């Protein structure tokens, strides 16, 4: 279980900052004083979770400092996309910049869905964990239960969720040998694996190795359990019930409406791997992801105990602060747990970062290649008063 800093230390810090601000009246600081808002709970995932309301001065302070970072590190580097930063379940800053379609000059708005790329894995993974919670599957289920013709022994659902399956990456073998004039589906990939038996990269369970094949297969597991196409099930049973009205799964039927992403002003055309889903191809907005974030905090999708399992490190063969849970990257920092996932596909760069103890969330979606979006996770230091600027995995 991940243990937060003792509450007494946080409370002393809170009192110290209040006294410091109070005695400094009449002086104009170069930057706004940031009041740390301390959670009333010492549990990381309390089952009866509620957000504590920010005071207006707190919200104003956060907004000012986030906006300063945004202008300096994103706008100044040609950012094109959407950003939303929240604290304690409240939006403290959001902005929308540029075009979603450079040809038509359609602007980015709060209702503009972006391809989430690998942030899609959080939806696939948490849906699998919800099925586990409901007793519809076991994390120890063998992969062959769902795909009996696959030539890979010893792989479990949990290994897929934690990227410990050792399976070959379909982005590699489909890119090398598949007919690039044909857009592959998830089932096409499975059929290819059955027929050609591409070699495993590691023995199952041996080590962590990030691999899109894992979540592409998990989407098909969802289809087998629900007897519905993954895009339809996710819309009817995940997105709509949570109020994510601008979120959907892109699949082969949507190709006439494909909107490219960009490097500079050069668009990426569709390619042969643009119709597989589960590992990618969820499209959403920053506001819908904010609702997804709140649903996780408030346990309206899965229980607190399930969330704790998802955020428990699964890859401990190498010591360090970076780890992976079940469908989430983890950074076990100095007093704060950062739970996050990035997304990168063609020109899309995204980050969905949650500073759990501080109840702060950073959501940035960009459809024009800009690596500074990934570095913007460093905004977490605004909320935890840390100078830790460690680089996270993309």
């Amino acid at each position: 279980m991940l243990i937060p800093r003792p509450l007494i230390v946080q409370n002393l810090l809170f009192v110290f900052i209040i006294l410091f601000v109070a005695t400094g009246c009449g002086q104009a600081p170069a930057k706004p004083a940031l009041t740390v808002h301390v959670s009333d709970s010492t549990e990381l995932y309390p089952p009866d979770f509620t957000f504590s309301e920010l005071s207006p001065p707190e919200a104003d302070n956060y907004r000012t400092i986030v906006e300063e970072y945004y202008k300096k590190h994103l706008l100044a580097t040609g950012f094109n996309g959407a950003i939303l930063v929240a604290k304690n379940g409240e939006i403290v800053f959001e902005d929308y910049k540029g075009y979603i379609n450079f040809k038509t000059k359609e602007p980015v708005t709060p209702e503009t869905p972006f391809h989430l790329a690998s942030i899609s894995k959080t939806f696939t993974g948490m849906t699998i964990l919800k099925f586990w919670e409901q007793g519809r599957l076991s994390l120890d289920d063998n992969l062959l239960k769902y795909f009996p013709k696959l030539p890979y022994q010893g792989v479990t659902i949990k290994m897929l969720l934690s990227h410990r399956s050792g399976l070959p990456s379909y982005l590699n073998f489909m890119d090398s040998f598949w007919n690039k004039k044909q857009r592959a589906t998830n089932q096409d990939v499975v059929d290819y694996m059955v027929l050609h038996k591409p070699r495993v990269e590691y023995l199952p369970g041996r080590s962590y190795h990030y691999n899109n094949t894992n979540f592409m297969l998990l989407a098909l597991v969802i289809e087998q359990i629900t007897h519905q196409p993954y895009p339809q099930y996710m819309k009817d049973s995940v997105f709509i019930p949570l109020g994510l009205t601008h979120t959907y799964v892109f699949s082969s039927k949507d190709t006439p409406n494909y909107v490219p992403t960009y490097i500079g002003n050069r668009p990426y055309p569709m390619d042969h791997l643009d119709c597989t889903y589960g590992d990618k191809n969820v499209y959403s907005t920053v506001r819908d992801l904010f609702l997804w974030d709140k649903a996780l905090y408030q346990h309206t999708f899965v229980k607190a105990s399930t969330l704790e399992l998802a955020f428990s490190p699964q890859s401990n063969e190498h010591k360090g602060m970076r780890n992976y849970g079940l469908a989430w990257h983890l950074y076990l920092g100095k007093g704060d747990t950062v739970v996050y996932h990035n997304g990168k596909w063609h020109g899309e760069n995204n980050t969905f970062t949650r500073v759990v103890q501080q109840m702060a969330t950073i959501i940035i979606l960009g459809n024009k290649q800009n690596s500074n979006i990934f570095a913007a996770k460093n905004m977490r230091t605004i909320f935890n008063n840390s100078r830790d600027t460690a680089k996270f995995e993309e």
Side-chain angles (χ1 to χ4, degrees), residues 320-322 330-334 338 340 374-381 386-393:
M321 294 181 177
R322 290 186 293 272
L330 308 174
Y331 182 77
L332 312 178
K334 301 171 183 178
V338 181
Y340 70 100
F374 299 137
K377 284 193 208 65
N378 287 330
M379 274 196 280
R380 76 190 189 280
T381 60
S386 170
R387 295 183 180 180
D388 178 11
T389 57
K391 293 183 179 179
F392 296 162
E393 292 188 36

Side-chain angles (χ1 to χ4, degrees), residues 265-292:
N265 293 325
R266 180 172 62 87
Y268 267 101
M270 285 199 73
D271 67 25
H272 58 296
L273 297 179
D274 268 320
C275 291
T276 49
Y277 47 64
D279 57 323
K280 53 182 171 62
N281 262 342
V282 173
Y283 280 65
S284 190
T285 68
V286 291
R287 288 185 178 178
D288 275 9
L289 285 178
F290 173 55
L291 294 178
W292 176 229

Side-chain angles (χ1 to χ4, degrees), residues 152-164:
Y152 305 106
Q153 300 288 334
V155 177
T156 67
I157 294 294
K158 188 175 183 180
M159 290 176 189
L160 298 179
L161 287 168
S162 59
H163 290 297
R164 300 182 66 84

Side-chain angles (χ1 to χ4, degrees), residues 34-279:
L34 181 60
T35 302
V36 177
H37 193 93
V38 181
S39 169
D40 293 331
S41 174
T42 58
E43 292 183 76
L44 190 54
Y45 316 110
D48 55 348
F49 176 87
T50 56
F51 286 110
S52 300
E53 185 177 353
L54 289 176
S55 68
E58 284 180 304
D60 288 342
N61 281 337
Y62 286 126
R63 182 177 301 107
T64 300
I65 299 173
V66 170
E67 185 173 15
E68 179 183 310
Y69 183 102
Y70 171 62
K71 289 179 177 178
K72 180 178 180 180
H73 297 282
L74 289 174
L75 285 187
T77 61
F79 175 68
N80 192 96
I83 177 174
L84 185 152
V85 180
K87 174 77 169 82
N88 289 25
E90 300 178 30
I91 298 173
V92 297
F93 180 81
E94 66 178 318
D95 195 33
Y96 304 88
K97 190 64 62 176
Y99 303 114
I100 189 64
N101 189 319
F102 282 37
K103 183 177 180 179
T104 65
K105 304 299 183 184
E106 180 184 350
V108 175
T109 72
E111 291 75 38
T112 301
F114 287 78
H115 183 194
L116 298 184
S118 285
I119 296 175
S120 306
K121 293 179 174 70
T122 69
F123 287 103
T124 304
M126 297 310 293
T127 299
I128 289 288
L129 288 176
K130 187 175 183 69
F131 290 171
W132 167 75
E133 183 181 282
Q134 296 170 335
R136 301 173 75 177
L137 59 73
S138 169
L139 297 183
D140 294 324
D141 280 347
N142 194 292
L143 183 64
L144 300 184
K145 175 179 178 179
Y146 302 94
F147 309 98
K149 295 183 180 180
L150 279 179
Y152 305 106
Q153 300 288 334
V155 177
T156 67
I157 294 294
K158 188 175 183 180
M159 290 176 189
L160 298 179
L161 287 168
S162 59
H163 290 297
R164 300 182 66 84
S165 70
L167 290 172
S169 171
Y170 85 91
L171 297 187
N172 294 333
F173 63 75
M174 295 294 282
D175 196 51
S176 300
F177 303 108
W178 182 257
N179 178 3
K180 292 184 173 60
K181 294 181 180 179
Q182 179 182 349
R183 295 188 181 108
T185 65
N186 290 43
Q187 190 58 51
D188 286 332
V189 177
V190 172
D191 293 343
Y192 185 97
M193 295 170 75
V194 170
L195 180 63
H196 297 285
K197 303 176 176 57
R199 294 179 58 183
V200 299
E201 298 187 8
Y202 297 94
L203 292 175
R206 179 66 61 87
S207 64
Y208 166 83
H209 182 71
Y210 188 88
N211 185 348
N212 287 280
T213 302
N214 298 321
F215 283 76
M216 180 278 300
L217 291 171
L218 287 171
L220 292 180
V221 171
I222 291 172
E223 292 188 346
Q224 290 192 36
I225 290 174
T226 64
H227 305 290
Q228 294 182 58
Y230 174 86
Q232 191 65 48
Y233 178 80
M234 297 301 287
K235 176 184 176 181
D236 294 342
S237 301
V238 181
F239 305 149
I240 296 302
L242 292 176
L244 312 186
T245 56
H246 294 92
T247 302
Y248 65 94
V249 178
F250 183 94
S251 62
S252 55
K253 69 178 178 60
D254 301 304
T255 56
N257 300 316
Y258 176 75
V259 176
T261 56
Y262 300 85
I263 289 186
N265 293 325
R266 180 172 62 87
Y268 267 101
M270 285 199 73
D271 67 25
H272 58 296
L273 297 179
D274 268 320
C275 291
T276 49
Y277 47 64
D279 57 323

